[in-house]
Amino acid sequence: MPVPTQELKLEIVNAATGKTLGARSTPGTDGALVVRDVPTGGPSPQQWQLTPVPAAQGGPAQNGQAYVIGNVVSGKVLDNPAAADRGVRQWDATAGKKTQQWYVVPVEDEAGLYFIEYAADGAVLDLADPDADEPRIVLREYDESAANQRWRFVPAEPERVSDPVLRWAPLSHWNSRRSWRLARSAALRPAPGSTPSFSDMLLVLKGFGSDQDAGAWRSVGTHRAPGGQPGWWAGLGDRLLADTTGAGRADIVGLKPAKGAVTAVSQGDGTFDDDERVLHPPTPSPSPKDLWTLADTTGNGRPDAVVLAADGVRVLRQDESGRFAPASGEPVLKAFGHGPQAGGWLADRHPRFLADTTGNGRLDIVGFHDDGVWISLQDEDGKFTSLAAEPVLKAFGHGPQAGEWLADRHPRFLADTTGNGRLDIVGFHDDGVWVSLQDEDGAFAEPLWVLEDFGTGQGWSDAEESPRCLVRTTDGGPLDIVGFGPQGVTLARGLGDGTFEPSRLVLNDFGTAQGWTGRKHLRLLADVTGDGLPDVVGFGDEGVWVSRNRGDGRFEQAQLVCRGFGHNDDAGAWRVEHHPRFLADITGDGRVDIVGFGGPGVYVARNLFRRFRTR
């Protein structure tokens, strides 16, 4: 776990004894500190906050950022009174006082454990007598074999807010169409700067669901696209959202093994066409290993269908009627496919992306194979170049010669970390973050290890359990790293040169410590409020939670904005493996709505932000 920020309330736990830092059970006047058990039903463990010492008062220094460690309730801070036994106390805070400054030093190869080091001489917090009932805290010389010198920071329970849900009243019309209006409620008032609010969950289409009467949709492919994440490939039986018409609204797209790609077009009012329209018939010899996506590959404003088939890449252009051209003839590129003739690319080993790597407005194809990174650039005529004889970079690949990057453990991204308009490669391996910068000639530099965090060695497990992404969290700033780690939301601010500041825990929520797990919950970043900055969104047990972006790299406490789409029975009993959920603008108003594919069909919760505020 990274060093927490001063916004978080923490328990400081001794790793050897499991006891928490605090005053004696019968406190005295000397302010002495001990570690002790807190009985069930007794007083809560004391909580602390870490406040960085400003540079003008002595921090940061050559050993890193110094902190003042303060008691949340009393306001007193850890202090070294220079006693003969080197006992540590909590005392009144004095700005700039050197005896109240501490370093928090990670224990090598032990994720989540730290030494608390006295800034003046390098001594560390230890226990005077570990076998005592309430061992006193003292300073001792650093000893790498002393388990008593290791400490764990445990964030307090997250603070959450549950607003009343905004209810819709159904309306029936003479032509059998359905619509809704917001029901009268004393909990609502107009407010331009309202907090995030969504309507209650509505069934808007009896189709595309997992129940038999709704089409019995099941993913039959070998690839499972993460729900709610844009830009991923879909397999047969999958459902996704994409703008198929260029109208600026997201439509429903499904891949039926028998019918091919079908759609239900958005009506702009939160509903969809009742009838499925075939976008493209099944490709010749469709395979469960085929991967599909819809993307504007040429920049003309209309999406194309891109298929990674057995024989390579097929691009199906959309005609004026909204249908895609038949998949006849040869593929546009005999590579990146799952058949041996196209390289034997496997979904569970070899990530592939469509991305504008050069900044020319056209999407290229990038793939990470066993031996490294392969790229096919798209030229101005819409043609893809053949692959070179060697990978563009012999790194970030599945094989041992390219670093042994595993698809389920080591996420890789294409992102412009320097602002030069060209995409770089960013990967999260066991030991942390690696970056390969792309120069103006399109060549990729040897990867650099830029940050010791966000890897399995620092407590981040697989990609599903610990999602990570690159996103701009401040207006106009460089790309940052945001991850849902063991203790909550962690942020590493980008420096604009391919490197990042040390990571910090910015929100003690949405992590495994707060009960979030990839097997039950979806977590992602999306602009819910329309201010251009990503907010944290989680599909939890009770429903959908949103933590608003403050605009300075921090996030507000989470709010329950919709009592639906959640794992619990009273929130719909939604399951990650059966019920895809997305955030997408289905009305064209510039705000993302919640869309979920449940058992009976398609459910929607409209985004009402800036229309109403809950009291």
Side-chain angles (χ1 to χ4, degrees):
M1 177 181 116
V3 177
T5 58
Q6 62 268 33
E7 289 90 1
L8 301 184
K9 301 173 183 178
L10 309 159
E11 296 172 20
I12 301 178
V13 180
N14 184 260
T17 64
K19 299 180 178 181
T20 58
L21 177 69
R24 294 191 183 106
S25 53
T26 54
T29 59
D30 59 356
L33 289 171
V34 298
V35 292
R36 63 190 184 93
D37 291 319
V38 179
T40 302
S44 299
Q46 292 189 356
Q47 296 176 358
W48 306 83
Q49 287 180 304
L50 275 62
T51 303
V53 177
Q57 298 178 10
Q62 61 181 1
N63 292 334
Q65 175 68 61
Y67 295 88
V68 172
I69 303 176
N71 189 299
V72 171
V73 175
S74 69
K76 296 182 182 295
V77 300
L78 257 67
D79 182 90
N80 174 23
D85 64 353
R86 302 219 70 183
V88 176
R89 65 181 180 178
Q90 55 177 337
W91 208 248
D92 294 333
T94 302
K97 189 176 181 181
K98 299 296 184 182
T99 61
Q100 296 177 354
Q101 297 181 9
W102 309 85
Y103 296 123
V104 179
V105 182
V107 178
E108 187 174 357
D109 296 328
E110 293 190 52
L113 296 183
Y114 295 87
F115 300 106
I116 300 177
E117 180 182 303
Y118 182 45
D121 63 8
V124 297
L125 292 194
D126 202 340
L127 306 184
D129 180 6
D131 296 326
D133 289 338
E134 295 185 353
R136 191 176 181 197
I137 305 301
V138 296
L139 285 170
R140 287 195 175 133
E141 291 186 3
Y142 163 75
D143 181 357
E144 65 177 8
S145 63
N148 299 322
Q149 296 181 358
R150 290 161 165 77
W151 301 86
R152 178 177 291 108
F153 296 105
V154 180
E157 287 298 313
E159 297 177 354
R160 293 172 174 169
V161 176
S162 178
D163 284 341
V165 175
L166 309 186
R167 299 292 179 186
W168 288 104
L171 292 175
S172 299
H173 300 278
W174 62 270
N175 59 357
S176 73
R177 290 293 298 172
R178 293 166 297 167
S179 64
W180 295 266
R181 60 183 171 84
L182 198 65
R184 291 182 178 273
S185 171
L188 305 178
R189 66 169 181 240
S194 61
T195 57
S197 297
F198 287 78
S199 73
D200 54 323
M201 190 175 67
L202 299 171
L203 179 63
V204 300
L205 182 62
K206 293 182 178 179
F208 293 94
S210 57
D211 291 352
Q212 193 67 35
D213 294 341
W217 285 76
R218 297 283 190 280
S219 176
V220 298
T222 58
H223 174 74
R224 186 178 125 203
Q229 299 291 339
W232 291 81
W233 301 94
L236 291 178
D238 284 340
R239 292 143 286 171
L240 61 149
L241 294 170
D243 181 5
T244 65
T245 65
R249 302 189 298 263
D251 310 309
I252 296 171
V253 178
L255 302 177
K256 274 192 171 180
K259 296 180 65 174
V262 299
T263 185
V265 175
S266 170
Q267 295 298 299
D269 60 357
T271 66
F272 300 89
D273 281 347
D274 292 330
D275 298 327
E276 296 177 0
R277 180 168 65 89
V278 176
L279 288 173
H280 191 278
T283 57
S285 303
S287 168
K289 296 181 180 180
D290 291 348
L291 301 179
W292 283 68
T293 195
L294 294 179
D296 179 8
T297 62
T298 61
N300 65 359
R302 298 180 69 87
D304 309 305
V306 182
V307 186
L308 303 180
D311 54 357
V313 181
R314 294 182 176 272
V315 177
L316 316 176
R317 308 292 184 188
Q318 189 176 173
D319 60 25
E320 294 299 324
S321 68
R323 295 180 180 274
F324 293 95
S328 58
E330 295 292 316
V332 298
L333 185 64
K334 294 181 179 180
F336 299 108
H338 55 82
Q341 69 274 34
W345 293 72
L346 305 177
D348 58 352
R349 288 190 180 186
H350 308 131
R352 283 151 285 176
F353 298 89
L354 285 172
D356 179 10
T357 62
T358 62
N360 65 359
R362 292 179 174 273
L363 298 184
D364 311 307
I365 305 174
V366 183
F368 298 82
H369 209 286
D370 292 338
D371 51 358
V373 184
W374 296 81
I375 296 180
S376 172
L377 300 178
Q378 185 182 180
D379 61 25
E380 60 185 9
D381 297 323
K383 296 181 179 180
F384 291 90
T385 59
S386 300
L387 298 187
E390 296 286 336
V392 299
L393 185 64
K394 294 181 179 180
F396 297 104
H398 180 82
Q401 72 274 28
E404 290 188 290
W405 292 74
L406 306 179
D408 60 343
R409 290 169 58 91
H410 306 133
R412 283 150 282 178
F413 298 92
L414 298 168
D416 181 6
T417 64
T418 63
N420 66 357
R422 290 180 171 271
L423 300 186
D424 312 305
I425 300 171
V426 182
F428 300 84
H429 210 288
D430 294 335
D431 52 358
V433 183
W434 291 78
V435 174
S436 173
L437 299 179
Q438 183 185 180
D439 63 24
E440 60 184 9
D441 297 322
F444 288 88
E446 283 297 310
L448 293 176
W449 181 62
V450 298
L451 190 63
E452 188 180 6
D453 198 11
F454 299 102
T456 58
Q458 297 82 45
W460 298 72
S461 56
D462 58 61
E464 181 181 51
E465 198 64 40
S466 301
R468 284 144 279 179
C469 61
L470 285 102
V471 67
R472 190 170 284 105
T473 63
T474 58
D475 188 16
L479 290 178
D480 309 313
I481 299 173
V482 180
F484 299 90
Q487 298 294 342
V489 180
T490 301
L491 170 72
R493 297 288 296 273
L495 296 175
D497 60 358
T499 65
F500 301 87
E501 293 180 358
S503 59
R504 54 196 178 99
L505 186 64
V506 296
L507 184 65
N508 62 320
D509 206 347
F510 300 100
T512 53
Q514 296 84 33
W516 293 78
T517 169
R519 296 183 302 275
K520 295 169 55 178
H521 309 125
L522 302 176
R523 290 157 291 169
L524 57 145
L525 294 171
D527 179 13
V528 169
T529 62
D531 62 358
L533 298 175
D535 309 297
V536 178
V537 183
F539 293 78
D541 290 331
E542 307 89 344
V544 183
W545 294 85
V546 170
S547 178
R548 283 188 62 180
N549 190 327
R550 295 181 180 181
D552 58 358
R554 297 179 298 167
F555 297 88
E556 296 178 355
Q557 66 189 52
Q559 294 179 312
L560 184 63
V561 300
C562 181
R563 294 184 183 275
F565 303 102
H567 186 270
N568 288 350
D569 289 346
D570 56 2
W574 293 72
R575 298 294 181 260
V576 169
E577 64 273 19
H578 297 307
H579 307 132
R581 284 154 284 176
F582 299 89
L583 293 172
D585 180 8
I586 61 174
T587 63
D589 65 359
R591 293 185 291 268
V592 294
D593 309 293
I594 305 171
V595 183
F597 297 88
V602 182
Y603 290 83
V604 167
R606 293 281 301 278
N607 188 336
L608 304 179
F609 179 67
R610 290 200 178 134
R611 295 183 185 178
F612 299 91
R613 167 177 285 167
T614 53
R615 292 188 187 275

